[in-house]
Amino acid sequence: MAPILEVDGIDAGYGKLQILFNVSMEVEPKDIFVIVGPNGSGKSTLLKTIFGLTKIYKGSIKFEGEEITGKPPHDIAKTGVAYLPQTDNIFAQLTVMENLKMAAYTLPSDLAEERISEVLDRFSLLKARLKDKAMTLSGGQRQILAMAMSLIRKPKLMLFDEPTAALAPKLAAEILKEIIKLRDELGITIILVEQNAKKALQMGDKALLLVGGRVMYRGQARELLEHPELGTLYLGLKK
Amino acid sequence: MVVNVQLFLDTMAYASVLGLLSMSLTLTYIVSRVPNFAHATFAAIGSYMVLIIVWIMGIYKTGPSWGVYYASLPVSFLVVGIVALIQYLIVLRPLAKKGISIDGLMIATLGIDIILVGLLNISADFLEDIFQRSPDKDLRKLVTYPRSGYLSSYEPTIMGITASSILGPLLLLVSTIGFYLFLTRTKFGTAMRAAIENPQLAETLGINVNLVYSVSWFIAGGLAGLAGVVMVMTTKLNPAMGWILIVSVFAGSIVGGLGSLFWGAIGGLLIGFLEQFGVYYTQIILGALTGETISLGNYRQVFSLGAIVVMLLVAPQGLASLNWHRILSRLGLKRW
Amino acid sequence: MPIEIDVVTLAQSLAYFIAAYTIVTLSLNLEAGFTGVPNFGKHLFVAAGAFVVASIGNRLSAYIVSVLYKDEIIKLIQEDPLLSRRITEEDIGRLWSMYADPLGNRDLDRIMDKFFAQNPELGIIMFMLIVVLAVAIGGLMGLLISYPALRLRGEYLAILLLAAAEMVVMAIGYYWKPLVGGTTGLFLPRYLAVFGQKVILGVTILLILTALAMYIYAQRIANSPAGRMMRAVRDDELAAASLGKDIARVRRDVIIISSAMAALAGALIAIHTGSVVSTHYQRFSWTFIPWAMMIVGGVANNSGVVIGVALVMILQKFVDIVKPLLAPIVPFDPVWLYQIGLGLIIILMLYMRPQGIIPEKPSRTLNFEEVFEDILEDKVEDEQAKKMIREGRATP
Ligand SMILES: Nc1ncnc2c1ncn2[C@@H]1O[C@H](COP(=O)(O)OP(=O)(O)OP(=O)(O)O)[C@@H](O)[C@H]1O
Ligand SMILES: [Mg+2]
C-alpha cells in the first residue's frame, strides 16, 4: 500500500535556528507510528514541521501523495491532518461546549451538531461538563477534550505530541488505549510522540528514533524496543 | 452639601465616556498586546464628527436637536471604526509580523496619534476657513468652534437634564451588554474569545484570526467614536483634546486590569467618579481651610495619575484580579 | 516668490536645536536603548529643568538680589520712570513673589535685567546655581522613577511615565499660574549679561559643549563592562535575573543621570529662549521627536543618535523655509504636514529599517559568558580565584 505520509530529507527549524537535519520517514495507513528520543531532540519540532508550523529549508512532505510542504496550518488541516500540541491544545477560558463548537467552526451548523454529538457519544465523560470552563477539567479530561476536538473534522492522520505528559500512570494508560481505539475503530493513522518509550513502542507498529535532530533509527517499533544498545543509550530502557 | 445632583449628572456623562474608552482600549490591548496611545484621539475624531453634523445638518440654525445624536452616533462609530481598522491593518499588524518589539509598537501608536492630531488640525483649519467665508451669518458664528467650541448648546434636554447625562450611561450599558451577548451567544463572538486566548490553535481550527482581530479593532474604534460624541458635550472641542484625556483612559484600563472588557468599563466609570468627586471635595475642603473659592477642575487628572500609581503598587493586575468572593464575604455582604 | 535665508541665523539656530536635541536624545537612548526603560514621558524631565529655572530660579534670584542688594535695587527703580510708577518701596521686600502674575513678572524682569547688566559676575553665579539646582532636581526625579522603572513591565512603565508627564505639563503647567505662569509663560532674567548682545550664541555654545560631554559620557557607558551588561540584561531575562542587584544599581544610576541630563537641557533651553511657556514642553516636541530621532538614527547607538538628530532637525528647518511658499496654496497651516510626515517616517522606519540608519553593532551585543567574563575581570583580582569561579568551583 502507498504510504499516507512521506517525509523526504527535511531540514527545518525556527527562524535561522536549524533543529532538524535531513529527516525522512514514511507512514503507512492505519499504522501507529511512534517517534521517540531524548529531551530536546526535536520530536515536537518534527510534528510541527509536518503541520506547517516551522520553517522548512529543504526537503518535501507529501500527504496522500500530495505536496503539503510550506502550506499554512489551516490548509493542511483541511486535507485531513489533525495536530494535538503538547500544551495549549484547548481554549481554557471557553466552556467545553464552546471548545467543541470552535473545533467545528468551518462546518455547516447542522453537520457541526451531528459531529459534536458523535464525539460526545465516544467520550461520554465530557457530556457532564459541557457548561464548565475547560480550565476546570483535569489533565486527562483536557487531553480527551483535545482529542474530541480534533476528531470533529474526521481526520485521516492525527499527530499526538506527548498526550500523556504530566498524567498519572493509570490515566496515561487510558489515554493511550483511547488512541489505539481511534486507529482500530475509526481507521485513523496515528503519529505519536511519547516520553514513555517502552509503552509507546509496545503499542506502535513503526518507530523512529530522533537524536540531536537526526534520525538514529527507523523501522519496526518492536525491533527498537529490543535493540541491544539504542534503547539503553537514548531511551532509558532496561535490557 | 454632601450630594450634589447636578455634579452627579455631569459626572454620569463624563464617567460613561471614560467607561467606553477604557473598555475599548482594553479590547485593543487584549487583541494586540500593545497599549494604544492614540485611543483618546479616536474619541476626539468622534467629537469632530458632531461639529460636522451640526454644520451639515443645519443644527447651528435650528438650535438643540436630537439630530445631533441620531446622526453623529452612527457616523462617528463608522468613521472612527475605520480609522482604528486602518491603524491595525496597515500599521500594527505588519509591524508585529515583522517582530518589532513592544517599545517599537508603542512608539508607532504614538506616531499614529501625532498623525491623527495633525489631520484634525488640518480639518480644523479647513472648517474655520469655510465658516469664516460663509455668507451665512449664523455659520460665521461657528468660526471659533473648531478649536474651542462648546457643542453642548446643541444637545436637547430631557426634563431639564442634558441628554448626555442620560445617553452616556445608556450607551455604556447597551454596549457592555451587547458586547457581552455578542461574545457569549454568537459563533463569531466565541471565535473572537478563542482567537484572543490562543491564536495558534484557533488558526489550526480554521478560524480566520486576522478577520477576528480586524473586527475587534473596528468595534473598539467605533466605541471610542461613540464616546467622542458624548465627550464633546462635556468639554471643549480641540484637536489635541485626547492628549490629556488619555491619562484618565489609561487609568481606567489599569484599574480594570487591562484584561477584561467588563472590568475596563468599571475602571473607566470609577475613574470618572474619582476625578469629579475628588476635585469637588478637595475644593470644598481647601476652600474651607483658606476661606477662598478654589477651582481645581483642570487638575482632575491628578486623581487619575494617583489611581495609576496606587493600582500598580497594590494590585498591578487590576480590580479584576482581586478575589471578590472573599472580599464580599469578609464584608459580610455575601451570605449565600 | 523668492525666499530669503539668513545663513548665519539659520546655522546658529540649527546648531542650537541639534545640540539641545542631542542631549535629550542621547539621554533617552541611554534609558530606552541601553537599559530598556521606555521613557514615554521624556518631556516631563526636559520641562522639569525649564520649570525649575522659571519658578525656583526666578524667585530665588529675585530674593537673593533684593535682600543682599536692596539699596542698589531701590536706586534702579527710582531711576526708571516706568518702574518707579508701579513699584513702591515696600514691594521690594516681596519682590520674589511678584513672579506669580504676568505684569509683575515683566517689571521684575526689567529690574533683574538691569541689575545683572551692572553685575555680570553675579549673573554668572546665579546662572550656575540655578542650573545646578535644575540638574539636581532632574536627578531626584530620576531616582523617583527608578523605583517603578526597575519593577514594572515595559508597557505599564510607558503608560505611567506618559501619564505623569501629561499631568505635570498639561494640567499643572498649563493651569497653575504660580508655577510658570500658565500658558502665558514667564520671562527669565538675563543672567548671562557677560555675553552682551551675543547671549544666544553664548548659550548655544554652552549647549554644544554639554552635548559633546554627554556624547563622551554615553560612549563610555556603552563601551564599559556595565554598558555591555545592561544590553545583555535588556535582551535576556535570564541574565537579568542572575545578575540581580548589581545590574539594578547600574540601571538606576543610568536613569538618574539621563533624567538629570534632560533637565540640564531643559534649563539651558529656557535660558537660551529667555522665557518659559508650559506649552513649549509638550509630548510632541520633547518625547515624540527624540524617539523619532533615536529610531531614525539607530537604537542603542550613540553616533546613530547624533545622525538621527541632525536629519530630523534639518528636515524641520527645511519645512520652516518652504512653509511661506506653501502657506498661500493650502488652506491650512503647513506645520501640520511636518507633524504628519514625522509620524509617517517613524512608522516607515520601523517597517523598513527598524535597526535605524546605523544599526547597533552586533558584535557588541554580548552573550552571557562574555558578560560574565567582564564581571570577573572587573570584580575579582586574584587569577587563581578567577579560574575557580570559571570552573564553577567557587562563587564570586
Ligand atoms: N519556538 C521555538 N523557537 C526556537 N527554538 C525552539 C522552539 N521550540 C523548540 N525550540 C528548540 O528546538 C529544540 C528541539 O525542541 P523540541 O521541542 O522539538 O524537542 P523535543 O524533542 O520535543 O523535547 P521534549 O521531549 O522536551 O518535548 C530545542 O533545543 C528547543 O530549544
Ligand atoms: Mg516536545
Side-chain angles (χ1 to χ4, degrees):
Chain A
M1 213 193 304
I4 186 166
L5 182 81
E6 294 162 82
V7 176
D8 190 12
I10 280 286
D11 283 358
Y14 305 97
K16 280 181 210 145
L17 180 69
Q18 186 173 351
I19 306 290
L20 298 178
F21 300 86
N22 196 22
V23 173
S24 301
M25 63 194 248
E26 280 181 7
V27 181
E28 302 290 334
K30 305 202 174 145
D31 262 7
I32 293 180
F33 189 100
V34 180
I35 300 174
V36 288
N39 284 112
S41 57
K43 305 181 296 289
S44 300
T45 307
L46 178 51
L47 288 196
K48 285 190 212 163
T49 302
I50 296 171
F51 202 65
L53 288 166
T54 63
K55 197 166 157 71
I56 299 176
Y57 316 117
K58 195 177 110 324
S60 90
I61 303 174
K62 283 196 189 117
F63 177 65
E64 294 191 311
E66 272 190 45
E67 195 75 45
I68 57 166
T69 329
K71 277 197 185 169
H74 52 261
D75 280 350
I76 297 178
K78 270 183 220 145
T79 62
V81 182
Y83 165 62
L84 284 89
Q86 200 163 347
T87 51
D88 296 331
N89 48 19
I90 54 168
F91 300 110
Q93 301 289 336
L94 269 52
T95 65
V96 170
M97 190 59 187
E98 284 172 337
N99 266 284
L100 293 172
K101 278 190 179 152
M102 286 302 106
Y105 188 76
T106 54
L107 304 178
S109 61
D110 46 344
L111 186 59
E113 261 170 50
E114 192 188 309
R115 294 279 178 85
I116 289 175
S117 69
E118 259 177 57
V119 295
L120 283 178
D121 287 340
R122 172 167 286 274
F123 303 111
S124 47
L125 71 93
L126 293 178
K127 269 188 192 159
R129 308 292 304 268
L130 285 179
K131 290 211 167 115
D132 296 340
K133 279 202 177 171
M135 63 185 188
T136 65
L137 297 181
S138 73
Q141 289 166 336
R142 286 182 195 205
Q143 278 305 334
I144 296 283
L145 175 58
M147 245 190 259
M149 284 168 71
S150 10
L151 274 184
I152 281 184
R153 305 228 248 158
K154 300 220 157 152
K156 294 172 223 161
L157 171 66
M158 288 177 82
L159 315 173
F160 283 94
D161 196 350
E162 302 199 17
T164 68
L167 292 187
K170 207 173 140 224
L171 259 178
E174 265 170 46
I175 297 284
L176 292 180
K177 230 183 264 164
E178 288 293 344
I179 293 176
I180 295 175
K181 267 185 9 199
L182 294 181
R183 191 266 310 263
D184 292 349
E185 293 171 12
L186 303 174
I188 299 172
T189 313
I190 309 280
I191 300 182
L192 175 65
V193 169
E194 248 304 321
Q195 275 301 324
N196 189 336
K198 192 168 169 206
K199 280 249 166 59
L201 291 174
Q202 278 168 350
M203 69 187 254
D205 302 303
K206 300 279 169 43
L208 180 130
L209 170 61
L210 210 54
V211 178
R214 291 179 171 80
V215 178
M216 222 16 131
Y217 171 91
R218 187 174 43 219
Q220 297 297 325
R222 212 136 267 287
E223 257 172 56
L224 180 56
L225 191 62
E226 283 152 14
H227 194 284
E229 287 141 33
L230 288 175
T232 35
L233 254 175
Y234 296 114
L235 302 173
L237 299 175
K238 291 200 201 83
K239 285 217 173 130
Chain B
M1 190 162 47
V2 182
V3 189
N4 179 327
V5 176
Q6 189 52 47
L7 176 70
F8 183 80
L9 289 174
D10 288 351
T11 304
M12 279 318 281
Y14 178 66
S16 353
V17 166
L18 288 186
L20 281 169
L21 287 174
S22 296
M23 173 167 83
S24 46
L25 178 82
T26 304
L27 176 60
T28 60
Y29 183 78
I30 293 174
V31 166
S32 297
R33 291 281 138 203
V34 53
N36 178 18
F37 285 90
H39 201 74
T41 298
F42 283 1
I45 300 175
S47 298
Y48 271 86
M49 291 303 140
V50 181
L51 176 62
I52 291 176
I53 295 287
V54 164
W55 162 42
I56 302 225
M57 289 187 40
I59 296 172
Y60 66 94
K61 272 193 285 221
T62 57
S65 142
W66 280 102
V68 170
Y69 287 120
Y70 289 143
S72 306
L73 288 174
V75 169
S76 292
F77 188 91
L78 204 68
V79 169
V80 183
I82 290 171
V83 170
L85 187 62
I86 291 176
Q87 163 170 1
Y88 169 69
L89 282 180
I90 71 177
V91 181
L92 288 181
R93 193 170 89 102
L95 288 179
K97 264 196 170 170
K98 283 205 73 180
I100 299 294
S101 69
I102 175 111
D103 288 3
L105 295 178
M106 286 194 292
I107 197 73
T109 70
L110 212 53
I112 290 166
D113 189 48
I114 295 286
I115 294 174
L116 292 177
V117 172
L119 290 173
L120 282 180
N121 269 305
I122 288 181
S123 319
D125 284 355
F126 257 117
L127 290 171
E128 280 174 349
D129 198 50
I130 292 170
F131 296 164
Q132 191 158 26
R133 288 154 183 249
S134 164
D136 183 344
K137 194 164 94 302
D138 291 326
L139 193 55
R140 277 207 300 278
K141 280 191 196 139
L142 287 189
V143 71
T144 55
Y145 276 62
R147 288 188 187 278
S148 60
Y150 275 114
L151 290 174
S152 52
S153 47
Y154 297 109
E155 70 165 332
T157 52
I158 305 168
M159 297 184 298
I161 298 168
T162 48
S164 52
S165 304
I166 295 168
L167 202 70
L170 207 65
L171 272 179
L172 179 63
L173 197 70
V174 168
S175 21
T176 315
I177 294 175
F179 217 1
Y180 175 79
L181 292 178
F182 171 65
L183 285 176
T184 52
R185 299 292 151 84
T186 68
K187 190 168 144 186
F188 192 80
T190 313
M192 216 151 131
R193 286 187 291 140
I196 285 168
E197 187 193 321
N198 189 341
Q200 223 184 35
L201 180 60
E203 185 91 38
T204 63
L205 295 176
I207 294 171
N208 188 338
V209 174
N210 185 31
L211 177 70
V212 166
Y213 283 14
S214 302
V215 170
S216 308
W217 270 88
F218 177 76
I219 295 178
L223 292 177
L226 297 185
V229 174
V230 180
M231 178 171 89
V232 77
M233 304 303 174
T234 68
T235 182
K236 246 198 243 175
L237 195 61
N238 182 274
M241 65 205 287
W243 282 5
I244 186 73
L245 185 75
I246 193 76
V247 176
S248 314
V249 178
F250 274 136
S253 305
I254 285 180
V255 166
L258 271 172
S260 132
L261 301 180
F262 172 72
W263 282 106
I266 298 278
L269 268 179
L270 285 177
I271 288 293
F273 276 92
L274 174 73
E275 280 187 5
Q276 297 278 73
F277 280 84
V279 163
Y280 179 69
Y281 286 111
T282 317
Q283 278 174 178
I284 290 183
I285 293 168
L286 284 185
L289 289 179
T290 60
E292 288 166 40
T293 1
I294 289 176
S295 158
L296 297 174
N298 291 321
Y299 309 115
R300 52 161 84 131
Q301 269 79 21
V302 173
F303 292 95
S304 279
L305 183 68
I308 294 181
V309 171
V310 169
M311 213 60 210
L312 290 181
L313 288 176
V314 177
Q317 306 299 311
L319 293 182
S321 68
L322 302 181
N323 187 341
W324 287 101
H325 287 279
R326 229 181 63 203
I327 293 173
L328 290 180
S329 60
R330 277 265 174 86
L331 293 173
L333 291 174
K334 204 174 169 184
R335 269 171 240 109
W336 54 89
Chain C
M1 183 173 62
I3 22 176
E4 282 175 35
I5 301 171
D6 176 352
V7 179
V8 178
T9 316
L10 180 69
Q12 197 173 314
S13 130
L14 202 55
Y16 155 70
F17 276 113
I18 290 182
Y21 272 108
T22 300
I23 302 172
V24 176
T25 311
L26 280 174
S27 82
L28 175 69
N29 192 34
L30 274 180
E31 289 173 327
F34 289 101
T35 53
V37 173
N39 195 341
F40 274 39
K42 199 73 207 171
H43 55 302
L44 172 58
F45 299 87
V46 181
F51 287 8
V52 166
V53 171
S55 62
I56 305 181
N58 268 0
R59 289 183 173 85
L60 192 65
S61 54
Y63 184 75
I64 292 178
V65 166
S66 61
V67 169
L68 295 183
Y69 299 89
K70 195 169 177 184
D71 300 338
E72 203 171 327
I73 297 278
I74 294 175
K75 222 174 99 206
L76 253 174
I77 294 175
Q78 282 162 354
E79 280 167 8
D80 189 318
L82 193 80
L83 289 174
S84 54
R85 221 181 313 138
R86 279 213 292 266
I87 299 178
T88 62
E89 203 153 325
E90 64 235 37
D91 282 338
I92 309 241
R94 45 165 212 97
L95 258 189
W96 62 279
S97 65
M98 285 169 54
Y99 268 114
D101 62 291
L103 196 65
N105 173 244
R106 263 166 205 272
D107 289 343
L108 191 51
D109 210 47
R110 206 174 153 102
I111 299 173
M112 302 296 285
D113 282 359
K114 291 195 173 188
F115 179 80
F116 286 128
Q118 286 170 14
N119 307 282
E121 68 294 337
L122 277 176
I124 297 179
I125 293 175
M126 276 320 296
F127 166 78
M128 294 204 292
L129 186 69
I130 289 165
V131 168
V132 168
L133 199 64
V135 170
I137 290 182
L140 271 179
M141 287 170 59
L143 179 65
L144 192 69
I145 64 156
S146 72
Y147 183 79
L150 298 179
R151 285 164 187 81
L152 290 181
R153 276 221 321 261
E155 305 100 280
Y156 285 103
L157 190 57
I159 293 174
L160 178 63
L161 289 173
L162 180 115
E166 296 302 15
M167 207 276 294
V168 172
V169 175
M170 290 192 79
I172 298 178
Y174 277 27
Y175 297 108
W176 194 47
K177 297 238 174 203
L179 186 67
V180 290
T183 43
T184 33
L186 291 181
F187 287 102
L188 306 179
R190 270 185 225 128
Y191 296 108
L192 296 176
V194 266
F195 290 127
Q197 293 300 306
K198 298 239 186 295
V199 174
I200 291 187
L201 182 64
V203 181
T204 303
I205 291 171
L206 270 178
L207 270 164
I208 293 174
L209 292 178
T210 313
L212 265 177
M214 181 75 194
Y215 183 80
I216 293 168
Y217 171 75
Q219 277 300 73
R220 274 190 44 195
I221 289 261
N223 295 322
S224 68
R228 309 209 280 183
M229 227 159 36
M230 282 189 307
R231 265 173 294 169
V233 165
R234 183 197 61 193
D235 297 338
D236 184 351
E237 301 257 326
L238 202 75
S242 52
L243 287 169
K245 284 205 178 114
D246 234 18
I247 201 73
R249 207 196 60 232
V250 177
R251 289 172 79 190
R252 192 194 61 209
D253 292 351
V254 168
I255 295 168
I256 292 174
I257 289 168
S258 12
S259 306
M261 272 306 197
L264 174 60
L268 291 179
I269 290 165
I271 287 170
H272 175 275
T273 321
S275 65
V276 170
V277 190
S278 51
T279 49
H280 289 177
Y281 297 90
Q282 275 184 354
R283 187 201 297 179
F284 175 70
S285 304
W286 295 105
T287 291
F288 185 72
I289 291 189
W291 272 91
M293 291 165 162
M294 181 173 80
I295 286 173
V296 167
V299 177
N301 184 314
N302 295 319
S303 37
V305 163
V306 178
I307 290 179
V309 169
L311 283 178
V312 174
M313 268 357 285
I314 289 170
L315 176 71
Q316 190 178 48
K317 283 288 148 201
F318 174 74
V319 173
D320 282 350
I321 291 170
V322 298
K323 221 168 95 171
L325 290 184
L326 220 52
I329 308 173
V330 293
F332 54 83
D333 188 340
V335 75
W336 312 127
L337 289 181
Y338 167 66
Q339 289 202 5
I340 294 171
L342 219 50
L344 288 176
I345 286 176
I346 278 257
I347 292 165
L348 286 178
M349 239 1 238
L350 284 170
Y351 190 72
M352 295 189 310
R353 204 175 159 81
Q355 70 276 39
I357 291 174
I358 304 185
E360 181 177 7
K361 291 189 191 115
S363 62
R364 291 225 206 126
T365 340
L366 298 175
N367 58 31
F368 188 55
E369 277 87 51
E370 282 173 76
V371 172
F372 186 64
E373 272 300 310
D374 275 342
I375 299 173
L376 267 189
E377 287 297 326
D378 209 31
K379 291 263 151 79
V380 186
E381 300 286 305
D382 183 40
E383 280 303 318
Q384 186 63 31
K386 274 187 201 167
K387 193 154 174 279
M388 283 180 64
I389 293 170
R390 269 188 211 114
E391 289 162 3
R393 284 183 285 145
T395 48

